[in-house]
Amino acid sequence: MSFLTKYGTIWGTIPTTSGTVYWVAPGAGAYTVDGRSYDASDGNDGKSPERALATIARAWALVRANAGDIIILLPGTHTAAGASVAANVAGVAMFGLPGGRGNFVRQKTIVTTNITADEVINVSAPDIEMGYFTLRPITASDALDLTADADNFYFHDFGLDLATPAVSVNTVGITGAPANYVHLENFFVECDGAQGNAIVATGLLDSVIRNFTMLQSTGTWASAILCGAATNRLHIENGNFLPGDATLTAGVNGTGATITSGVFITRCMFADSVTVAIDNFGAGQAEIAENYQLGLGAADGGVLITAIT
């Protein structure tokens, strides 16, 4: 569905909905739409690109539960100030503008925070969808937290920037909870050293993490995906763990896992510089198939991973 501005021009494409679309600029003051300058303010109604809101928080205060409402984040860096974004209204979708068909590497919209030791976004309602933006935590904080009420959360075509924050094991991408039917797909992770996990999947139930690439530019990263206590019926598939000349100690980390056959890992690729691709699971806690460790050198085509340590 295309959006018609008051000047009669077509501006962008948004998903078809029977709800209300709210537009958010990357901060208060001047922004540009259709070659013209406008002022973003939380006093605007947000219902047109020319009347954008100034904060994501205001948009979440306006949307209605299960009414098909959508929040569109205009290009630029959106900073949650004072409090994390409370994604607490069921059935709402929040999107940036897509950075090209199928491109999840560098999105036009970045969502971050300046709040010390607090997440950028907290999801605490069911049936929420997000996509087409990059999440950037600050040092020693999470980018996105899920609560037990975040059932059916769908996050796709997104990035996790773990390269910009200063290195800290407490800097985390997405932290899970005992939520059902969480679906994370088509995403890109940048890391530059000993950060925390890109995804803490602890407690996720009947969930899927798939189609992703994780790159690391330097240092030693302890763990990329953590599957801890009560993770059950989680499927991780089609993932690329590629630390290059850096070191990733454990690709998928089962430290704290408790449930037999709680995690299924299929068709993932781990670079030669991943110390142990699938590590720290107890006997029978993970099932694996068609996962490969890449080979270093022209004559090395990699090996099938046949064991979990």
Side-chain angles (χ1 to χ4, degrees), residues 208-298:
V208 175
I209 302 171
R210 68 173 188 169
N211 300 342
F212 58 88
T213 294
M214 299 190 183
L215 300 182
Q216 180 186 345
S217 59
T218 188
T220 299
W221 192 11
S223 175
I225 297 179
L226 177 64
C227 303
T231 302
N232 201 6
R233 300 178 303 278
L234 171 66
H235 186 192
I236 300 170
E237 66 170 339
N238 296 336
N240 298 306
F241 298 77
L242 307 175
D245 197 34
T247 299
L248 172 58
T249 304
V252 181
N253 184 358
T255 297
T258 58
I259 296 177
T260 300
S261 297
V263 180
F264 304 89
I265 305 162
T266 62
R267 297 183 296 280
C268 289
M269 300 290 174
F270 300 84
D272 175 78
S273 51
V274 179
T275 306
V276 181
I278 304 167
D279 202 8
N280 301 318
F281 285 93
Q285 291 175 349
E287 298 188 26
I288 66 173
E290 298 184 41
N291 302 289
Y292 285 85
Q293 185 119 31
L294 307 183
L296 184 63

Side-chain angles (χ1 to χ4, degrees), residues 25 27-31 37-41 54:
Y31 69 101
S37 181
Y38 300 91
D39 284 326
S41 168

Side-chain angles (χ1 to χ4, degrees), residues 118-143:
D118 201 357
E119 66 271 8
V120 182
I121 300 173
N122 181 264
V123 182
S124 59
D127 303 312
I128 287 174
E129 180 181 354
M130 296 183 183
Y132 307 114
F133 59 87
T134 292
L135 268 174
R136 177 184 293 161
I138 60 174
T139 300
S141 70
D142 295 1

Side-chain angles (χ1 to χ4, degrees), residues 142-260:
D142 295 1
L144 183 144
D145 279 357
L146 301 175
T147 73
D149 295 319
D151 291 347
N152 306 318
F153 177 64
Y154 180 32
F155 197 9
H156 57 89
D157 300 284
F158 67 94
L160 290 175
D161 179 0
L162 300 181
T164 298
V167 172
S168 167
V169 295
N170 296 315
T171 304
V172 175
I174 296 172
T175 296
N180 292 273
Y181 315 117
V182 172
H183 186 180
L184 309 175
E185 70 170 344
N186 300 339
F187 62 93
F188 176 77
V189 179
E190 303 174 74
C191 182
D192 67 347
Q195 304 284 28
N197 287 277
I199 299 173
V200 177
T202 298
L204 293 186
L205 306 169
D206 301 296
S207 297
V208 175
I209 302 171
R210 68 173 188 169
N211 300 342
F212 58 88
T213 294
M214 299 190 183
L215 300 182
Q216 180 186 345
S217 59
T218 188
T220 299
W221 192 11
S223 175
I225 297 179
L226 177 64
C227 303
T231 302
N232 201 6
R233 300 178 303 278
L234 171 66
H235 186 192
I236 300 170
E237 66 170 339
N238 296 336
N240 298 306
F241 298 77
L242 307 175
D245 197 34
T247 299
L248 172 58
T249 304
V252 181
N253 184 358
T255 297
T258 58
I259 296 177
T260 300

